[in-house]
Amino acid sequence: MIKGILSITGKPGLFKLLSRGRNALIVENIATKRRTPTYPHEKVISLADITMYTEHGDEPLPEILDKVYTRAEGKAIDMKSFAGDEAVREYFAEIIPDFDRDRVYTTDIRKLFSWYNQLVAAGITEFKEEEPAEEQTDAVGGDAEAVKE
């Protein structure tokens, strides 16, 4: 699950949220394990809150990362193997065929692949939040004692 994984503008890498202070968040770089504070003036966003444009609406990043993981068979994506921007877009089109080609830039796709590689290298492979099991209710839908003859 990537709900606690953050991207901080101006700081390289991805960070894990450890705790909240009075005027700062305490985060840990997932690659180096170095802990640092981040302050209110810094732009911080959870990867779980990011979406990408598709032709049928927005698709949440955790779902996209799950599809990338399936397509890459759990391995890191070799960014140097792409000949150019068009090759990156073609590879992404194999994963998300209906992505909005006008609003999703190649730099967005490269950033996505970079984040994916960082997450896999850190051993984070569960991207979607597990859905809680639904509680089973009585077929009647009420309390047995409440039924009077």
Side-chain angles (χ1 to χ4, degrees), residues 34-69:
R34 184 169 177 238
R35 294 179 180 192
T36 58
T38 194
Y39 300 101
H41 68 274
E42 296 176 294
K43 185 177 178 184
V44 177
I45 188 161
S46 170
L47 295 190
D49 295 336
I50 298 173
T51 60
M52 287 188 95
Y53 298 114
T54 65
E55 293 175 3
H56 305 291
D58 294 347
E59 187 160 351
L61 190 65
E63 291 181 19
I64 293 172
L65 287 169
D66 203 38
K67 291 176 182 179
V68 172
Y69 182 79

mmCIF file of all heavy atoms in Angstrom, residues 34-69:
data_model
loop_
_atom_site.group_PDB
_atom_site.id
_atom_site.type_symbol
_atom_site.label_atom_id
_atom_site.label_comp_id
_atom_site.label_asym_id
_atom_site.label_seq_id
_atom_site.Cartn_x
_atom_site.Cartn_y
_atom_site.Cartn_z
ATOM 1 N N ARG A 34 17.299 7.704 5.317
ATOM 2 C CA ARG A 34 17.668 8.917 6.045
ATOM 3 C C ARG A 34 16.400 9.671 6.432
ATOM 4 O O ARG A 34 15.542 9.948 5.586
ATOM 5 C CB ARG A 34 18.552 9.784 5.166
ATOM 6 C CG ARG A 34 19.054 11.012 5.863
ATOM 7 C CD ARG A 34 20.126 11.699 5.039
ATOM 8 N NE ARG A 34 20.525 12.902 5.726
ATOM 9 C CZ ARG A 34 20.460 14.102 5.201
ATOM 10 N NH1 ARG A 34 20.053 14.263 3.956
ATOM 11 N NH2 ARG A 34 20.828 15.147 5.891
ATOM 12 N N ARG A 35 16.290 10.032 7.697
ATOM 13 C CA ARG A 35 15.113 10.742 8.205
ATOM 14 C C ARG A 35 15.346 12.244 8.170
ATOM 15 O O ARG A 35 16.416 12.720 8.527
ATOM 16 C CB ARG A 35 14.820 10.309 9.630
ATOM 17 C CG ARG A 35 14.405 8.872 9.713
ATOM 18 C CD ARG A 35 14.149 8.450 11.115
ATOM 19 N NE ARG A 35 13.748 7.044 11.114
ATOM 20 C CZ ARG A 35 13.241 6.428 12.143
ATOM 21 N NH1 ARG A 35 13.076 7.062 13.285
ATOM 22 N NH2 ARG A 35 12.893 5.164 12.055
ATOM 23 N N THR A 36 14.315 12.961 7.733
ATOM 24 C CA THR A 36 14.392 14.417 7.685
ATOM 25 C C THR A 36 13.018 15.007 7.986
ATOM 26 O O THR A 36 11.996 14.364 7.757
ATOM 27 C CB THR A 36 14.839 14.931 6.295
ATOM 28 O OG1 THR A 36 13.910 14.449 5.314
ATOM 29 C CG2 THR A 36 16.223 14.479 5.930
ATOM 30 N N PRO A 37 12.992 16.233 8.474
ATOM 31 C CA PRO A 37 11.700 16.912 8.641
ATOM 32 C C PRO A 37 11.307 17.576 7.321
ATOM 33 O O PRO A 37 12.154 17.922 6.500
ATOM 34 C CB PRO A 37 11.983 17.959 9.716
ATOM 35 C CG PRO A 37 13.431 18.265 9.557
ATOM 36 C CD PRO A 37 14.083 16.993 9.094
ATOM 37 N N THR A 38 10.040 17.730 7.124
ATOM 38 C CA THR A 38 9.547 18.493 5.985
ATOM 39 C C THR A 38 8.556 19.513 6.544
ATOM 40 O O THR A 38 7.788 19.200 7.446
ATOM 41 C CB THR A 38 8.946 17.573 4.909
ATOM 42 O OG1 THR A 38 8.785 18.281 3.713
ATOM 43 C CG2 THR A 38 7.628 16.996 5.313
ATOM 44 N N TYR A 39 8.586 20.698 6.034
ATOM 45 C CA TYR A 39 7.860 21.823 6.624
ATOM 46 C C TYR A 39 6.647 22.222 5.788
ATOM 47 O O TYR A 39 6.535 21.847 4.612
ATOM 48 C CB TYR A 39 8.821 22.990 6.808
ATOM 49 C CG TYR A 39 9.963 22.627 7.726
ATOM 50 C CD1 TYR A 39 11.215 22.300 7.220
ATOM 51 C CD2 TYR A 39 9.774 22.567 9.101
ATOM 52 C CE1 TYR A 39 12.256 21.931 8.062
ATOM 53 C CE2 TYR A 39 10.801 22.203 9.953
ATOM 54 C CZ TYR A 39 12.038 21.884 9.435
ATOM 55 O OH TYR A 39 13.049 21.517 10.270
ATOM 56 N N PRO A 40 5.736 23.014 6.362
ATOM 57 C CA PRO A 40 4.502 23.389 5.668
ATOM 58 C C PRO A 40 4.709 24.116 4.333
ATOM 59 O O PRO A 40 3.855 24.031 3.455
ATOM 60 C CB PRO A 40 3.785 24.303 6.664
ATOM 61 C CG PRO A 40 4.300 23.900 7.994
ATOM 62 C CD PRO A 40 5.721 23.475 7.756
ATOM 63 N N HIS A 41 5.817 24.818 4.153
ATOM 64 C CA HIS A 41 6.023 25.537 2.899
ATOM 65 C C HIS A 41 6.434 24.606 1.753
ATOM 66 O O HIS A 41 6.424 25.020 0.596
ATOM 67 C CB HIS A 41 7.064 26.651 3.075
ATOM 68 C CG HIS A 41 8.451 26.148 3.311
ATOM 69 N ND1 HIS A 41 8.902 25.830 4.576
ATOM 70 C CD2 HIS A 41 9.472 25.901 2.453
ATOM 71 C CE1 HIS A 41 10.156 25.412 4.478
ATOM 72 N NE2 HIS A 41 10.522 25.433 3.214
ATOM 73 N N GLU A 42 6.756 23.350 2.048
ATOM 74 C CA GLU A 42 7.138 22.392 1.006
ATOM 75 C C GLU A 42 5.888 21.681 0.488
ATOM 76 O O GLU A 42 4.981 21.357 1.253
ATOM 77 C CB GLU A 42 8.130 21.366 1.561
ATOM 78 C CG GLU A 42 9.436 21.992 1.982
ATOM 79 C CD GLU A 42 10.381 21.004 2.609
ATOM 80 O OE1 GLU A 42 10.065 20.496 3.697
ATOM 81 O OE2 GLU A 42 11.437 20.751 2.003
ATOM 82 N N LYS A 43 5.855 21.451 -0.807
ATOM 83 C CA LYS A 43 4.714 20.776 -1.411
ATOM 84 C C LYS A 43 4.885 19.270 -1.253
ATOM 85 O O LYS A 43 5.803 18.673 -1.815
ATOM 86 C CB LYS A 43 4.585 21.150 -2.886
ATOM 87 C CG LYS A 43 3.351 20.579 -3.529
ATOM 88 C CD LYS A 43 3.205 21.025 -4.952
ATOM 89 C CE LYS A 43 1.988 20.401 -5.580
ATOM 90 N NZ LYS A 43 1.874 20.735 -6.986
ATOM 91 N N VAL A 44 4.003 18.667 -0.478
ATOM 92 C CA VAL A 44 4.051 17.238 -0.184
ATOM 93 C C VAL A 44 2.762 16.611 -0.688
ATOM 94 O O VAL A 44 1.676 17.123 -0.447
ATOM 95 C CB VAL A 44 4.181 17.000 1.336
ATOM 96 C CG1 VAL A 44 4.170 15.524 1.653
ATOM 97 C CG2 VAL A 44 5.434 17.664 1.878
ATOM 98 N N ILE A 45 2.881 15.488 -1.410
ATOM 99 C CA ILE A 45 1.692 14.797 -1.888
ATOM 100 C C ILE A 45 1.883 13.297 -1.741
ATOM 101 O O ILE A 45 2.963 12.766 -1.982
ATOM 102 C CB ILE A 45 1.355 15.178 -3.347
ATOM 103 C CG1 ILE A 45 0.007 14.608 -3.751
ATOM 104 C CG2 ILE A 45 2.445 14.745 -4.293
ATOM 105 C CD1 ILE A 45 -0.616 15.264 -4.943
ATOM 106 N N SER A 46 0.825 12.639 -1.324
ATOM 107 C CA SER A 46 0.829 11.188 -1.192
ATOM 108 C C SER A 46 0.634 10.573 -2.575
ATOM 109 O O SER A 46 -0.184 11.046 -3.371
ATOM 110 C CB SER A 46 -0.300 10.744 -0.268
ATOM 111 O OG SER A 46 -0.451 9.346 -0.303
ATOM 112 N N LEU A 47 1.367 9.512 -2.870
ATOM 113 C CA LEU A 47 1.215 8.861 -4.172
ATOM 114 C C LEU A 47 -0.195 8.304 -4.352
ATOM 115 O O LEU A 47 -0.691 8.216 -5.467
ATOM 116 C CB LEU A 47 2.241 7.739 -4.341
ATOM 117 C CG LEU A 47 3.710 8.133 -4.401
ATOM 118 C CD1 LEU A 47 4.556 6.944 -4.818
ATOM 119 C CD2 LEU A 47 3.965 9.297 -5.319
ATOM 120 N N ALA A 48 -0.846 7.959 -3.250
ATOM 121 C CA ALA A 48 -2.205 7.425 -3.327
ATOM 122 C C ALA A 48 -3.214 8.473 -3.798
ATOM 123 O O ALA A 48 -4.293 8.126 -4.269
ATOM 124 C CB ALA A 48 -2.628 6.868 -1.970
ATOM 125 N N ASP A 49 -2.867 9.748 -3.696
ATOM 126 C CA ASP A 49 -3.778 10.829 -4.096
ATOM 127 C C ASP A 49 -3.598 11.270 -5.546
ATOM 128 O O ASP A 49 -4.340 12.114 -6.027
ATOM 129 C CB ASP A 49 -3.587 12.046 -3.187
ATOM 130 C CG ASP A 49 -3.985 11.761 -1.752
ATOM 131 O OD1 ASP A 49 -4.793 10.837 -1.533
ATOM 132 O OD2 ASP A 49 -3.483 12.458 -0.854
ATOM 133 N N ILE A 50 -2.615 10.723 -6.228
ATOM 134 C CA ILE A 50 -2.315 11.132 -7.602
ATOM 135 C C ILE A 50 -3.127 10.291 -8.581
ATOM 136 O O ILE A 50 -3.324 9.098 -8.376
ATOM 137 C CB ILE A 50 -0.806 10.981 -7.885
ATOM 138 C CG1 ILE A 50 -0.011 11.900 -6.968
ATOM 139 C CG2 ILE A 50 -0.489 11.269 -9.352
ATOM 140 C CD1 ILE A 50 1.487 11.710 -7.056
ATOM 141 N N THR A 51 -3.593 10.937 -9.646
ATOM 142 C CA THR A 51 -4.290 10.225 -10.722
ATOM 143 C C THR A 51 -3.655 10.606 -12.049
ATOM 144 O O THR A 51 -2.932 11.598 -12.151
ATOM 145 C CB THR A 51 -5.795 10.597 -10.764
ATOM 146 O OG1 THR A 51 -5.928 11.995 -10.995
ATOM 147 C CG2 THR A 51 -6.503 10.214 -9.478
ATOM 148 N N MET A 52 -3.942 9.804 -13.067
ATOM 149 C CA MET A 52 -3.486 10.118 -14.428
ATOM 150 C C MET A 52 -4.703 10.165 -15.330
ATOM 151 O O MET A 52 -5.674 9.426 -15.126
ATOM 152 C CB MET A 52 -2.491 9.079 -14.940
ATOM 153 C CG MET A 52 -1.139 9.179 -14.282
ATOM 154 S SD MET A 52 0.090 8.116 -15.041
ATOM 155 C CE MET A 52 0.840 9.256 -16.170
ATOM 156 N N TYR A 53 -4.619 11.033 -16.324
ATOM 157 C CA TYR A 53 -5.728 11.210 -17.256
ATOM 158 C C TYR A 53 -5.856 10.007 -18.184
ATOM 159 O O TYR A 53 -4.870 9.533 -18.738
ATOM 160 C CB TYR A 53 -5.518 12.447 -18.127
ATOM 161 C CG TYR A 53 -5.459 13.744 -17.363
ATOM 162 C CD1 TYR A 53 -4.287 14.482 -17.318
ATOM 163 C CD2 TYR A 53 -6.576 14.239 -16.702
ATOM 164 C CE1 TYR A 53 -4.225 15.685 -16.636
ATOM 165 C CE2 TYR A 53 -6.526 15.439 -16.014
ATOM 166 C CZ TYR A 53 -5.342 16.159 -15.989
ATOM 167 O OH TYR A 53 -5.282 17.339 -15.312
ATOM 168 N N THR A 54 -7.098 9.553 -18.354
ATOM 169 C CA THR A 54 -7.420 8.565 -19.378
ATOM 170 C C THR A 54 -8.579 9.127 -20.189
ATOM 171 O O THR A 54 -9.158 10.158 -19.832
ATOM 172 C CB THR A 54 -7.818 7.199 -18.770
ATOM 173 O OG1 THR A 54 -9.030 7.345 -18.028
ATOM 174 C CG2 THR A 54 -6.722 6.633 -17.889
ATOM 175 N N GLU A 55 -8.923 8.456 -21.243
ATOM 176 C CA GLU A 55 -10.019 8.929 -22.086
ATOM 177 C C GLU A 55 -11.373 8.750 -21.407
ATOM 178 O O GLU A 55 -12.362 9.311 -21.846
ATOM 179 C CB GLU A 55 -9.969 8.207 -23.433
ATOM 180 C CG GLU A 55 -8.741 8.588 -24.228
ATOM 181 C CD GLU A 55 -8.584 7.811 -25.524
ATOM 182 O OE1 GLU A 55 -9.476 6.993 -25.848
ATOM 183 O OE2 GLU A 55 -7.572 8.019 -26.195
ATOM 184 N N HIS A 56 -11.393 7.947 -20.349
ATOM 185 C CA HIS A 56 -12.660 7.680 -19.655
ATOM 186 C C HIS A 56 -12.647 8.224 -18.230
ATOM 187 O O HIS A 56 -13.331 7.715 -17.369
ATOM 188 C CB HIS A 56 -12.926 6.176 -19.629
ATOM 189 C CG HIS A 56 -12.898 5.556 -20.989
ATOM 190 N ND1 HIS A 56 -13.856 5.809 -21.936
ATOM 191 C CD2 HIS A 56 -12.012 4.738 -21.583
ATOM 192 C CE1 HIS A 56 -13.571 5.146 -23.045
ATOM 193 N NE2 HIS A 56 -12.447 4.492 -22.851
ATOM 194 N N GLY A 57 -11.846 9.253 -17.965
ATOM 195 C CA GLY A 57 -11.757 9.830 -16.625
ATOM 196 C C GLY A 57 -10.341 9.688 -16.082
ATOM 197 O O GLY A 57 -9.399 9.443 -16.819
ATOM 198 N N ASP A 58 -10.215 9.828 -14.781
ATOM 199 C CA ASP A 58 -8.909 9.717 -14.136
ATOM 200 C C ASP A 58 -8.740 8.322 -13.553
ATOM 201 O O ASP A 58 -9.687 7.754 -13.017
ATOM 202 C CB ASP A 58 -8.772 10.739 -13.018
ATOM 203 C CG ASP A 58 -8.764 12.169 -13.535
ATOM 204 O OD1 ASP A 58 -8.621 12.346 -14.752
ATOM 205 O OD2 ASP A 58 -8.895 13.094 -12.722
ATOM 206 N N GLU A 59 -7.508 7.813 -13.635
ATOM 207 C CA GLU A 59 -7.206 6.512 -13.042
ATOM 208 C C GLU A 59 -6.221 6.718 -11.894
ATOM 209 O O GLU A 59 -5.198 7.366 -12.072
ATOM 210 C CB GLU A 59 -6.620 5.556 -14.090
ATOM 211 C CG GLU A 59 -6.457 4.165 -13.555
ATOM 212 C CD GLU A 59 -6.349 3.115 -14.652
ATOM 213 O OE1 GLU A 59 -6.567 3.421 -15.825
ATOM 214 O OE2 GLU A 59 -6.028 1.978 -14.290
ATOM 215 N N PRO A 60 -6.525 6.175 -10.719
ATOM 216 C CA PRO A 60 -5.642 6.362 -9.565
ATOM 217 C C PRO A 60 -4.266 5.733 -9.791
ATOM 218 O O PRO A 60 -4.143 4.671 -10.413
ATOM 219 C CB PRO A 60 -6.383 5.648 -8.424
ATOM 220 C CG PRO A 60 -7.779 5.482 -8.899
ATOM 221 C CD PRO A 60 -7.732 5.434 -10.386
ATOM 222 N N LEU A 61 -3.250 6.399 -9.267
ATOM 223 C CA LEU A 61 -1.880 5.924 -9.420
ATOM 224 C C LEU A 61 -1.657 4.522 -8.847
ATOM 225 O O LEU A 61 -0.946 3.728 -9.476
ATOM 226 C CB LEU A 61 -0.905 6.923 -8.791
ATOM 227 C CG LEU A 61 0.570 6.678 -9.096
ATOM 228 C CD1 LEU A 61 0.854 6.856 -10.581
ATOM 229 C CD2 LEU A 61 1.434 7.606 -8.281
ATOM 230 N N PRO A 62 -2.255 4.168 -7.698
ATOM 231 C CA PRO A 62 -2.041 2.802 -7.210
ATOM 232 C C PRO A 62 -2.481 1.725 -8.214
ATOM 233 O O PRO A 62 -1.808 0.703 -8.351
ATOM 234 C CB PRO A 62 -2.880 2.743 -5.935
ATOM 235 C CG PRO A 62 -2.916 4.156 -5.460
ATOM 236 C CD PRO A 62 -2.962 4.981 -6.716
ATOM 237 N N GLU A 63 -3.578 1.962 -8.919
ATOM 238 C CA GLU A 63 -4.031 0.998 -9.920
ATOM 239 C C GLU A 63 -3.061 0.939 -11.098
ATOM 240 O O GLU A 63 -2.778 -0.126 -11.638
ATOM 241 C CB GLU A 63 -5.438 1.352 -10.398
ATOM 242 C CG GLU A 63 -6.489 1.130 -9.336
ATOM 243 C CD GLU A 63 -7.892 1.456 -9.813
ATOM 244 O OE1 GLU A 63 -8.116 1.509 -11.044
ATOM 245 O OE2 GLU A 63 -8.753 1.664 -8.954
ATOM 246 N N ILE A 64 -2.546 2.090 -11.502
ATOM 247 C CA ILE A 64 -1.586 2.128 -12.605
ATOM 248 C C ILE A 64 -0.303 1.417 -12.213
ATOM 249 O O ILE A 64 0.236 0.622 -12.982
ATOM 250 C CB ILE A 64 -1.309 3.584 -13.033
ATOM 251 C CG1 ILE A 64 -2.570 4.200 -13.643
ATOM 252 C CG2 ILE A 64 -0.147 3.652 -14.017
ATOM 253 C CD1 ILE A 64 -2.474 5.673 -13.922
ATOM 254 N N LEU A 65 0.177 1.680 -11.002
ATOM 255 C CA LEU A 65 1.397 1.010 -10.529
ATOM 256 C C LEU A 65 1.206 -0.501 -10.469
ATOM 257 O O LEU A 65 2.131 -1.263 -10.766
ATOM 258 C CB LEU A 65 1.806 1.552 -9.165
ATOM 259 C CG LEU A 65 2.407 2.947 -9.154
ATOM 260 C CD1 LEU A 65 2.526 3.471 -7.731
ATOM 261 C CD2 LEU A 65 3.761 2.966 -9.839
ATOM 262 N N ASP A 66 0.011 -0.941 -10.094
ATOM 263 C CA ASP A 66 -0.285 -2.368 -10.061
ATOM 264 C C ASP A 66 -0.210 -2.969 -11.465
ATOM 265 O O ASP A 66 0.329 -4.061 -11.664
ATOM 266 C CB ASP A 66 -1.665 -2.592 -9.447
ATOM 267 C CG ASP A 66 -1.844 -3.974 -8.881
ATOM 268 O OD1 ASP A 66 -0.873 -4.512 -8.305
ATOM 269 O OD2 ASP A 66 -2.959 -4.530 -9.000
ATOM 270 N N LYS A 67 -0.706 -2.242 -12.452
ATOM 271 C CA LYS A 67 -0.646 -2.711 -13.840
ATOM 272 C C LYS A 67 0.785 -2.711 -14.361
ATOM 273 O O LYS A 67 1.191 -3.612 -15.102
ATOM 274 C CB LYS A 67 -1.538 -1.843 -14.737
ATOM 275 C CG LYS A 67 -3.012 -2.034 -14.456
ATOM 276 C CD LYS A 67 -3.864 -1.101 -15.290
ATOM 277 C CE LYS A 67 -5.332 -1.265 -14.960
ATOM 278 N NZ LYS A 67 -6.190 -0.370 -15.739
ATOM 279 N N VAL A 68 1.575 -1.707 -13.981
ATOM 280 C CA VAL A 68 2.986 -1.648 -14.374
ATOM 281 C C VAL A 68 3.725 -2.838 -13.768
ATOM 282 O O VAL A 68 4.534 -3.491 -14.435
ATOM 283 C CB VAL A 68 3.643 -0.317 -13.946
ATOM 284 C CG1 VAL A 68 5.145 -0.342 -14.169
ATOM 285 C CG2 VAL A 68 3.018 0.850 -14.692
ATOM 286 N N TYR A 69 3.434 -3.140 -12.503
ATOM 287 C CA TYR A 69 4.068 -4.263 -11.811
ATOM 288 C C TYR A 69 3.755 -5.571 -12.527
ATOM 289 O O TYR A 69 4.639 -6.408 -12.725
ATOM 290 C CB TYR A 69 3.585 -4.301 -10.357
ATOM 291 C CG TYR A 69 4.210 -5.382 -9.524
ATOM 292 C CD1 TYR A 69 5.493 -5.232 -9.007
ATOM 293 C CD2 TYR A 69 3.522 -6.552 -9.227
ATOM 294 C CE1 TYR A 69 6.069 -6.214 -8.229
ATOM 295 C CE2 TYR A 69 4.094 -7.539 -8.445
ATOM 296 C CZ TYR A 69 5.366 -7.360 -7.950
ATOM 297 O OH TYR A 69 5.934 -8.344 -7.180
#
